[in-house]
Amino acid sequence: MTIPVITVDGPTASGKGTVASRLAQALGYHYLDSGALYRLVALDGLEQGVDPDDGAALAQLAAQLRPRFADGHVSLRGRDVTDMIRTEDVSRTASRIAVHAPVRSALLELQKAFREAPGLVADGRDMGTVVFPDAALKVFLTASVEARAERRHKQLIEKGFTASMPALLQDLRARDERDSQRATAPLKPAEDAYLLDSSTLSIDEVVQQILHWHASGTT
């Protein structure tokens, strides 16, 4: 029997990570934060002085990743990098390196390996279109850029980082354009994905809607 997969794709700060994590917990499934893999490559590249535009060199780093995800923490080579991969510098770099086809190819098999029984909830930007095209339930979660900037601002302030709303808006718009216009695996809904705008919805409301789709026999 094919191991069931639920994909939650969407732009930066759409809430997909929190939603996917709660879905996995509710269903007893494994969880894949695919964005964390790109952030890990970005962090590794920044620390080793690799040019973010050098796709070949970054792909080599990606191929050697051996991250560990446990209890809400991310470790790389035995070092806890959970907070480090969430900084704005790493986030911006991750968006830049994600356009490189060699990097995406290097991470593809690593992402597929997360598919284990009893099931998987995977969030990202191409989970439903490229990585798990046979997923039983696909959701494309979005929100207005203003709502996403407010969420990102709140997250950063809560973590003790300084943040500027105008700068966040500009950065999100740039990331959206870069992600949607890239030649390899552009950000877009799968043809059979459910579209869900979370601009005025709480996380709980989004989770309940997706669980409703799941219970309705979609999976």
Side-chain angles (χ1 to χ4, degrees):
M1 181 180 294
T2 301
I3 297 172
V5 175
I6 297 174
T7 62
V8 183
D9 287 318
T12 299
S14 58
K16 59 185 181 294
T18 303
V19 167
S21 178
R22 292 196 187 179
L23 284 171
Q25 185 177 19
L27 296 169
Y29 283 8
H30 298 286
Y31 167 55
L32 167 60
D33 173 2
S34 69
L37 300 179
Y38 289 93
R39 291 169 182 269
L40 285 166
V41 177
L43 176 64
D44 215 11
L46 287 169
E47 292 186 338
Q48 297 192 38
V50 177
D51 187 339
D53 295 322
D54 190 343
L58 290 165
Q60 289 184 340
L61 294 182
Q64 297 168 9
L65 277 185
R66 295 296 182 272
R68 183 172 182 271
F69 299 88
D71 302 320
H73 290 267
V74 184
S75 59
L76 184 64
R77 303 187 190 95
R79 180 175 55 140
D80 189 327
V81 295
T82 308
D83 292 332
M84 296 175 69
I85 64 171
R86 298 295 170 184
T87 64
E88 280 301 284
D89 191 22
V90 170
S91 296
R92 282 191 294 269
T93 305
S95 180
R96 286 181 62 186
I97 70 172
V99 304
H100 301 308
V103 175
R104 304 195 74 83
S105 178
L107 291 178
L108 183 59
E109 292 307 314
L110 179 58
Q111 292 173 98
K112 289 182 176 180
F114 279 82
R115 189 174 195 165
E116 296 181 340
L120 174 69
V121 180
D123 82 70
R125 288 170 175 74
D126 63 350
M127 295 296 99
T129 54
V130 176
V131 184
F132 301 108
D134 63 338
L137 174 60
K138 302 174 185 177
V139 178
F140 191 85
L141 185 64
T142 188
S144 69
V145 69
E146 292 80 11
R148 290 186 286 128
E150 288 178 6
R151 293 171 186 172
R152 185 64 178 152
H153 185 267
K154 181 179 179 181
Q155 290 172 347
L156 290 170
I157 295 301
E158 289 176 347
K159 291 181 179 181
F161 296 109
T162 57
S164 161
M165 277 295 292
L168 285 173
L169 281 166
Q170 182 178 3
D171 184 52
L172 285 176
R173 291 189 176 106
R175 292 193 210 181
D176 287 350
E177 182 176 4
R178 187 161 54 239
D179 291 341
S180 61
Q181 297 299 319
R182 66 189 180 213
T184 302
L187 173 65
K188 65 178 182 179
E191 291 185 0
D192 53 347
Y194 284 86
L195 304 182
L196 183 55
D197 188 329
S198 66
S199 298
T200 60
L201 300 176
S202 68
I203 292 295
D204 286 341
E205 289 172 325
V206 172
V207 170
Q208 289 304 312
Q209 177 60 71
I210 299 174
L211 287 174
H212 171 71
W213 287 331
H214 174 271
S216 297
T218 305
T219 60

PDB file of all heavy atoms in Angstrom, residues 101-131:
ATOM      1  N   ALA A 101      18.702  24.674 -10.136  1.00  0.00           N
ATOM      2  CA  ALA A 101      18.258  23.315 -10.425  1.00  0.00           C
ATOM      3  C   ALA A 101      19.154  22.254  -9.786  1.00  0.00           C
ATOM      4  O   ALA A 101      18.642  21.249  -9.267  1.00  0.00           O
ATOM      5  CB  ALA A 101      18.166  23.104 -11.933  1.00  0.00           C
ATOM      6  N   PRO A 102      20.486  22.399  -9.797  1.00  0.00           N
ATOM      7  CA  PRO A 102      21.332  21.381  -9.179  1.00  0.00           C
ATOM      8  C   PRO A 102      21.070  21.210  -7.681  1.00  0.00           C
ATOM      9  O   PRO A 102      21.143  20.095  -7.150  1.00  0.00           O
ATOM     10  CB  PRO A 102      22.753  21.896  -9.439  1.00  0.00           C
ATOM     11  CG  PRO A 102      22.635  22.756 -10.648  1.00  0.00           C
ATOM     12  CD  PRO A 102      21.301  23.425 -10.504  1.00  0.00           C
ATOM     13  N   VAL A 103      20.763  22.312  -7.003  1.00  0.00           N
ATOM     14  CA  VAL A 103      20.475  22.239  -5.571  1.00  0.00           C
ATOM     15  C   VAL A 103      19.168  21.487  -5.341  1.00  0.00           C
ATOM     16  O   VAL A 103      19.081  20.600  -4.483  1.00  0.00           O
ATOM     17  CB  VAL A 103      20.390  23.643  -4.946  1.00  0.00           C
ATOM     18  CG1 VAL A 103      19.968  23.564  -3.480  1.00  0.00           C
ATOM     19  CG2 VAL A 103      21.724  24.359  -5.068  1.00  0.00           C
ATOM     20  N   ARG A 104      18.151  21.813  -6.113  1.00  0.00           N
ATOM     21  CA  ARG A 104      16.848  21.158  -5.962  1.00  0.00           C
ATOM     22  C   ARG A 104      16.973  19.668  -6.271  1.00  0.00           C
ATOM     23  O   ARG A 104      16.367  18.829  -5.609  1.00  0.00           O
ATOM     24  CB  ARG A 104      15.807  21.822  -6.868  1.00  0.00           C
ATOM     25  CG  ARG A 104      15.658  23.323  -6.650  1.00  0.00           C
ATOM     26  CD  ARG A 104      14.394  23.879  -7.294  1.00  0.00           C
ATOM     27  NE  ARG A 104      13.219  23.482  -6.527  1.00  0.00           N
ATOM     28  CZ  ARG A 104      12.781  24.108  -5.443  1.00  0.00           C
ATOM     29  NH1 ARG A 104      13.412  25.172  -4.986  1.00  0.00           N
ATOM     30  NH2 ARG A 104      11.717  23.687  -4.811  1.00  0.00           N
ATOM     31  N   SER A 105      17.762  19.348  -7.285  1.00  0.00           N
ATOM     32  CA  SER A 105      17.962  17.947  -7.644  1.00  0.00           C
ATOM     33  C   SER A 105      18.680  17.193  -6.531  1.00  0.00           C
ATOM     34  O   SER A 105      18.320  16.051  -6.208  1.00  0.00           O
ATOM     35  CB  SER A 105      18.766  17.859  -8.945  1.00  0.00           C
ATOM     36  OG  SER A 105      19.020  16.509  -9.293  1.00  0.00           O
ATOM     37  N   ALA A 106      19.670  17.821  -5.932  1.00  0.00           N
ATOM     38  CA  ALA A 106      20.439  17.185  -4.866  1.00  0.00           C
ATOM     39  C   ALA A 106      19.581  16.893  -3.639  1.00  0.00           C
ATOM     40  O   ALA A 106      19.811  15.912  -2.923  1.00  0.00           O
ATOM     41  CB  ALA A 106      21.625  18.064  -4.476  1.00  0.00           C
ATOM     42  N   LEU A 107      18.580  17.744  -3.390  1.00  0.00           N
ATOM     43  CA  LEU A 107      17.728  17.579  -2.208  1.00  0.00           C
ATOM     44  C   LEU A 107      16.499  16.702  -2.462  1.00  0.00           C
ATOM     45  O   LEU A 107      15.817  16.308  -1.517  1.00  0.00           O
ATOM     46  CB  LEU A 107      17.272  18.946  -1.693  1.00  0.00           C
ATOM     47  CG  LEU A 107      18.355  19.832  -1.063  1.00  0.00           C
ATOM     48  CD1 LEU A 107      17.762  21.170  -0.654  1.00  0.00           C
ATOM     49  CD2 LEU A 107      18.994  19.135   0.142  1.00  0.00           C
ATOM     50  N   LEU A 108      16.229  16.395  -3.733  1.00  0.00           N
ATOM     51  CA  LEU A 108      14.997  15.686  -4.077  1.00  0.00           C
ATOM     52  C   LEU A 108      14.894  14.328  -3.392  1.00  0.00           C
ATOM     53  O   LEU A 108      13.874  14.008  -2.762  1.00  0.00           O
ATOM     54  CB  LEU A 108      14.903  15.520  -5.595  1.00  0.00           C
ATOM     55  CG  LEU A 108      13.614  14.860  -6.114  1.00  0.00           C
ATOM     56  CD1 LEU A 108      12.390  15.668  -5.694  1.00  0.00           C
ATOM     57  CD2 LEU A 108      13.665  14.733  -7.641  1.00  0.00           C
ATOM     58  N   GLU A 109      15.930  13.504  -3.509  1.00  0.00           N
ATOM     59  CA  GLU A 109      15.878  12.169  -2.916  1.00  0.00           C
ATOM     60  C   GLU A 109      15.844  12.231  -1.393  1.00  0.00           C
ATOM     61  O   GLU A 109      15.208  11.398  -0.743  1.00  0.00           O
ATOM     62  CB  GLU A 109      17.069  11.335  -3.390  1.00  0.00           C
ATOM     63  CG  GLU A 109      17.034  10.992  -4.862  1.00  0.00           C
ATOM     64  CD  GLU A 109      15.716  10.329  -5.277  1.00  0.00           C
ATOM     65  OE1 GLU A 109      15.265   9.401  -4.555  1.00  0.00           O
ATOM     66  OE2 GLU A 109      15.139  10.745  -6.285  1.00  0.00           O
ATOM     67  N   LEU A 110      16.532  13.209  -0.827  1.00  0.00           N
ATOM     68  CA  LEU A 110      16.514  13.375   0.631  1.00  0.00           C
ATOM     69  C   LEU A 110      15.097  13.655   1.110  1.00  0.00           C
ATOM     70  O   LEU A 110      14.646  13.112   2.126  1.00  0.00           O
ATOM     71  CB  LEU A 110      17.449  14.517   1.028  1.00  0.00           C
ATOM     72  CG  LEU A 110      17.539  14.850   2.524  1.00  0.00           C
ATOM     73  CD1 LEU A 110      17.993  13.634   3.325  1.00  0.00           C
ATOM     74  CD2 LEU A 110      18.492  16.017   2.759  1.00  0.00           C
ATOM     75  N   GLN A 111      14.370  14.496   0.373  1.00  0.00           N
ATOM     76  CA  GLN A 111      12.992  14.814   0.741  1.00  0.00           C
ATOM     77  C   GLN A 111      12.088  13.591   0.596  1.00  0.00           C
ATOM     78  O   GLN A 111      11.253  13.317   1.458  1.00  0.00           O
ATOM     79  CB  GLN A 111      12.483  15.961  -0.142  1.00  0.00           C
ATOM     80  CG  GLN A 111      13.188  17.281   0.140  1.00  0.00           C
ATOM     81  CD  GLN A 111      12.810  18.360  -0.841  1.00  0.00           C
ATOM     82  OE1 GLN A 111      11.958  19.185  -0.565  1.00  0.00           O
ATOM     83  NE2 GLN A 111      13.445  18.372  -2.007  1.00  0.00           N
ATOM     84  N   LYS A 112      12.261  12.836  -0.474  1.00  0.00           N
ATOM     85  CA  LYS A 112      11.427  11.649  -0.701  1.00  0.00           C
ATOM     86  C   LYS A 112      11.631  10.601   0.397  1.00  0.00           C
ATOM     87  O   LYS A 112      10.722   9.830   0.711  1.00  0.00           O
ATOM     88  CB  LYS A 112      11.727  11.044  -2.061  1.00  0.00           C
ATOM     89  CG  LYS A 112      11.225  11.875  -3.236  1.00  0.00           C
ATOM     90  CD  LYS A 112      11.518  11.183  -4.557  1.00  0.00           C
ATOM     91  CE  LYS A 112      10.941  11.951  -5.734  1.00  0.00           C
ATOM     92  NZ  LYS A 112      11.210  11.286  -7.035  1.00  0.00           N
ATOM     93  N   ALA A 113      12.821  10.588   0.979  1.00  0.00           N
ATOM     94  CA  ALA A 113      13.135   9.592   2.000  1.00  0.00           C
ATOM     95  C   ALA A 113      12.341   9.790   3.286  1.00  0.00           C
ATOM     96  O   ALA A 113      12.286   8.881   4.129  1.00  0.00           O
ATOM     97  CB  ALA A 113      14.638   9.622   2.305  1.00  0.00           C
ATOM     98  N   PHE A 114      11.729  10.954   3.437  1.00  0.00           N
ATOM     99  CA  PHE A 114      10.919  11.207   4.631  1.00  0.00           C
ATOM    100  C   PHE A 114       9.570  10.486   4.565  1.00  0.00           C
ATOM    101  O   PHE A 114       8.834  10.460   5.545  1.00  0.00           O
ATOM    102  CB  PHE A 114      10.681  12.712   4.801  1.00  0.00           C
ATOM    103  CG  PHE A 114      11.831  13.443   5.435  1.00  0.00           C
ATOM    104  CD1 PHE A 114      12.925  13.842   4.680  1.00  0.00           C
ATOM    105  CD2 PHE A 114      11.832  13.720   6.789  1.00  0.00           C
ATOM    106  CE1 PHE A 114      13.995  14.519   5.258  1.00  0.00           C
ATOM    107  CE2 PHE A 114      12.894  14.395   7.386  1.00  0.00           C
ATOM    108  CZ  PHE A 114      13.980  14.793   6.619  1.00  0.00           C
ATOM    109  N   ARG A 115       9.241   9.917   3.430  1.00  0.00           N
ATOM    110  CA  ARG A 115       7.950   9.222   3.264  1.00  0.00           C
ATOM    111  C   ARG A 115       8.007   7.860   3.948  1.00  0.00           C
ATOM    112  O   ARG A 115       8.496   6.883   3.408  1.00  0.00           O
ATOM    113  CB  ARG A 115       7.637   9.055   1.781  1.00  0.00           C
ATOM    114  CG  ARG A 115       6.234   8.544   1.504  1.00  0.00           C
ATOM    115  CD  ARG A 115       5.952   8.534   0.012  1.00  0.00           C
ATOM    116  NE  ARG A 115       4.540   8.394  -0.283  1.00  0.00           N
ATOM    117  CZ  ARG A 115       4.005   8.640  -1.469  1.00  0.00           C
ATOM    118  NH1 ARG A 115       4.775   9.020  -2.484  1.00  0.00           N
ATOM    119  NH2 ARG A 115       2.705   8.516  -1.656  1.00  0.00           N
ATOM    120  N   GLU A 116       7.505   7.816   5.151  1.00  0.00           N
ATOM    121  CA  GLU A 116       7.508   6.597   5.942  1.00  0.00           C
ATOM    122  C   GLU A 116       6.128   6.379   6.562  1.00  0.00           C
ATOM    123  O   GLU A 116       5.378   7.330   6.784  1.00  0.00           O
ATOM    124  CB  GLU A 116       8.569   6.668   7.050  1.00  0.00           C
ATOM    125  CG  GLU A 116      10.004   6.760   6.533  1.00  0.00           C
ATOM    126  CD  GLU A 116      11.012   6.812   7.658  1.00  0.00           C
ATOM    127  OE1 GLU A 116      10.620   7.160   8.803  1.00  0.00           O
ATOM    128  OE2 GLU A 116      12.187   6.506   7.411  1.00  0.00           O
ATOM    129  N   ALA A 117       5.809   5.122   6.842  1.00  0.00           N
ATOM    130  CA  ALA A 117       4.531   4.782   7.471  1.00  0.00           C
ATOM    131  C   ALA A 117       4.479   5.391   8.876  1.00  0.00           C
ATOM    132  O   ALA A 117       5.515   5.518   9.535  1.00  0.00           O
ATOM    133  CB  ALA A 117       4.383   3.268   7.534  1.00  0.00           C
ATOM    134  N   PRO A 118       3.307   5.813   9.331  1.00  0.00           N
ATOM    135  CA  PRO A 118       1.988   5.622   8.699  1.00  0.00           C
ATOM    136  C   PRO A 118       1.616   6.669   7.652  1.00  0.00           C
ATOM    137  O   PRO A 118       0.616   6.536   6.971  1.00  0.00           O
ATOM    138  CB  PRO A 118       1.034   5.702   9.898  1.00  0.00           C
ATOM    139  CG  PRO A 118       1.715   6.680  10.822  1.00  0.00           C
ATOM    140  CD  PRO A 118       3.192   6.391  10.692  1.00  0.00           C
ATOM    141  N   GLY A 119       2.410   7.729   7.535  1.00  0.00           N
ATOM    142  CA  GLY A 119       2.089   8.774   6.569  1.00  0.00           C
ATOM    143  C   GLY A 119       2.988   9.973   6.775  1.00  0.00           C
ATOM    144  O   GLY A 119       3.771  10.031   7.730  1.00  0.00           O
ATOM    145  N   LEU A 120       2.872  10.935   5.871  1.00  0.00           N
ATOM    146  CA  LEU A 120       3.730  12.115   5.921  1.00  0.00           C
ATOM    147  C   LEU A 120       2.943  13.366   5.576  1.00  0.00           C
ATOM    148  O   LEU A 120       2.118  13.362   4.662  1.00  0.00           O
ATOM    149  CB  LEU A 120       4.879  11.957   4.906  1.00  0.00           C
ATOM    150  CG  LEU A 120       5.806  13.169   4.709  1.00  0.00           C
ATOM    151  CD1 LEU A 120       6.649  13.410   5.952  1.00  0.00           C
ATOM    152  CD2 LEU A 120       6.700  12.965   3.476  1.00  0.00           C
ATOM    153  N   VAL A 121       3.214  14.437   6.309  1.00  0.00           N
ATOM    154  CA  VAL A 121       2.740  15.776   5.951  1.00  0.00           C
ATOM    155  C   VAL A 121       3.976  16.579   5.575  1.00  0.00           C
ATOM    156  O   VAL A 121       4.902  16.703   6.387  1.00  0.00           O
ATOM    157  CB  VAL A 121       1.987  16.472   7.101  1.00  0.00           C
ATOM    158  CG1 VAL A 121       1.518  17.857   6.655  1.00  0.00           C
ATOM    159  CG2 VAL A 121       0.795  15.631   7.555  1.00  0.00           C
ATOM    160  N   ALA A 122       4.025  17.080   4.353  1.00  0.00           N
ATOM    161  CA  ALA A 122       5.200  17.803   3.865  1.00  0.00           C
ATOM    162  C   ALA A 122       4.821  19.212   3.456  1.00  0.00           C
ATOM    163  O   ALA A 122       3.852  19.405   2.712  1.00  0.00           O
ATOM    164  CB  ALA A 122       5.822  17.067   2.674  1.00  0.00           C
ATOM    165  N   ASP A 123       5.577  20.188   3.936  1.00  0.00           N
ATOM    166  CA  ASP A 123       5.298  21.561   3.515  1.00  0.00           C
ATOM    167  C   ASP A 123       6.484  22.125   2.747  1.00  0.00           C
ATOM    168  O   ASP A 123       7.631  21.712   2.952  1.00  0.00           O
ATOM    169  CB  ASP A 123       4.942  22.446   4.713  1.00  0.00           C
ATOM    170  CG  ASP A 123       6.156  22.973   5.467  1.00  0.00           C
ATOM    171  OD1 ASP A 123       6.873  23.828   4.924  1.00  0.00           O
ATOM    172  OD2 ASP A 123       6.378  22.539   6.608  1.00  0.00           O
ATOM    173  N   GLY A 124       6.184  23.039   1.830  1.00  0.00           N
ATOM    174  CA  GLY A 124       7.237  23.642   1.024  1.00  0.00           C
ATOM    175  C   GLY A 124       6.667  24.483  -0.089  1.00  0.00           C
ATOM    176  O   GLY A 124       5.616  25.117   0.075  1.00  0.00           O
ATOM    177  N   ARG A 125       7.328  24.455  -1.220  1.00  0.00           N
ATOM    178  CA  ARG A 125       6.878  25.224  -2.370  1.00  0.00           C
ATOM    179  C   ARG A 125       6.599  24.352  -3.588  1.00  0.00           C
ATOM    180  O   ARG A 125       5.913  24.772  -4.513  1.00  0.00           O
ATOM    181  CB  ARG A 125       7.916  26.308  -2.722  1.00  0.00           C
ATOM    182  CG  ARG A 125       7.942  27.438  -1.705  1.00  0.00           C
ATOM    183  CD  ARG A 125       9.127  28.369  -1.932  1.00  0.00           C
ATOM    184  NE  ARG A 125       9.100  29.521  -1.043  1.00  0.00           N
ATOM    185  CZ  ARG A 125       9.381  29.487   0.252  1.00  0.00           C
ATOM    186  NH1 ARG A 125       9.710  28.334   0.809  1.00  0.00           N
ATOM    187  NH2 ARG A 125       9.328  30.588   0.992  1.00  0.00           N
ATOM    188  N   ASP A 126       7.147  23.140  -3.604  1.00  0.00           N
ATOM    189  CA  ASP A 126       6.899  22.242  -4.740  1.00  0.00           C
ATOM    190  C   ASP A 126       6.625  20.816  -4.281  1.00  0.00           C
ATOM    191  O   ASP A 126       6.864  19.863  -5.001  1.00  0.00           O
ATOM    192  CB  ASP A 126       8.081  22.267  -5.712  1.00  0.00           C
ATOM    193  CG  ASP A 126       9.373  21.757  -5.084  1.00  0.00           C
ATOM    194  OD1 ASP A 126       9.413  21.553  -3.847  1.00  0.00           O
ATOM    195  OD2 ASP A 126      10.352  21.558  -5.826  1.00  0.00           O
ATOM    196  N   MET A 127       6.105  20.674  -3.074  1.00  0.00           N
ATOM    197  CA  MET A 127       5.832  19.336  -2.552  1.00  0.00           C
ATOM    198  C   MET A 127       4.773  18.609  -3.381  1.00  0.00           C
ATOM    199  O   MET A 127       4.899  17.429  -3.683  1.00  0.00           O
ATOM    200  CB  MET A 127       5.383  19.404  -1.077  1.00  0.00           C
ATOM    201  CG  MET A 127       6.440  19.912  -0.109  1.00  0.00           C
ATOM    202  SD  MET A 127       7.901  18.847   0.014  1.00  0.00           S
ATOM    203  CE  MET A 127       9.027  19.709  -1.075  1.00  0.00           C
ATOM    204  N   GLY A 128       3.718  19.337  -3.744  1.00  0.00           N
ATOM    205  CA  GLY A 128       2.626  18.720  -4.487  1.00  0.00           C
ATOM    206  C   GLY A 128       2.853  18.655  -5.983  1.00  0.00           C
ATOM    207  O   GLY A 128       2.220  17.864  -6.684  1.00  0.00           O
ATOM    208  N   THR A 129       3.762  19.492  -6.490  1.00  0.00           N
ATOM    209  CA  THR A 129       3.987  19.537  -7.938  1.00  0.00           C
ATOM    210  C   THR A 129       5.175  18.699  -8.386  1.00  0.00           C
ATOM    211  O   THR A 129       5.167  18.148  -9.487  1.00  0.00           O
ATOM    212  CB  THR A 129       4.216  20.985  -8.410  1.00  0.00           C
ATOM    213  OG1 THR A 129       5.273  21.571  -7.637  1.00  0.00           O
ATOM    214  CG2 THR A 129       2.939  21.811  -8.252  1.00  0.00           C
ATOM    215  N   VAL A 130       6.218  18.605  -7.544  1.00  0.00           N
ATOM    216  CA  VAL A 130       7.451  17.932  -7.961  1.00  0.00           C
ATOM    217  C   VAL A 130       7.824  16.751  -7.066  1.00  0.00           C
ATOM    218  O   VAL A 130       8.062  15.643  -7.549  1.00  0.00           O
ATOM    219  CB  VAL A 130       8.632  18.933  -7.989  1.00  0.00           C
ATOM    220  CG1 VAL A 130       9.943  18.219  -8.325  1.00  0.00           C
ATOM    221  CG2 VAL A 130       8.366  20.045  -8.991  1.00  0.00           C
ATOM    222  N   VAL A 131       7.881  16.969  -5.760  1.00  0.00           N
ATOM    223  CA  VAL A 131       8.407  15.947  -4.859  1.00  0.00           C
ATOM    224  C   VAL A 131       7.420  14.807  -4.627  1.00  0.00           C
ATOM    225  O   VAL A 131       7.783  13.626  -4.700  1.00  0.00           O
ATOM    226  CB  VAL A 131       8.827  16.571  -3.520  1.00  0.00           C
ATOM    227  CG1 VAL A 131       9.469  15.516  -2.611  1.00  0.00           C
ATOM    228  CG2 VAL A 131       9.815  17.711  -3.751  1.00  0.00           C
TER     229      VAL A 131
END
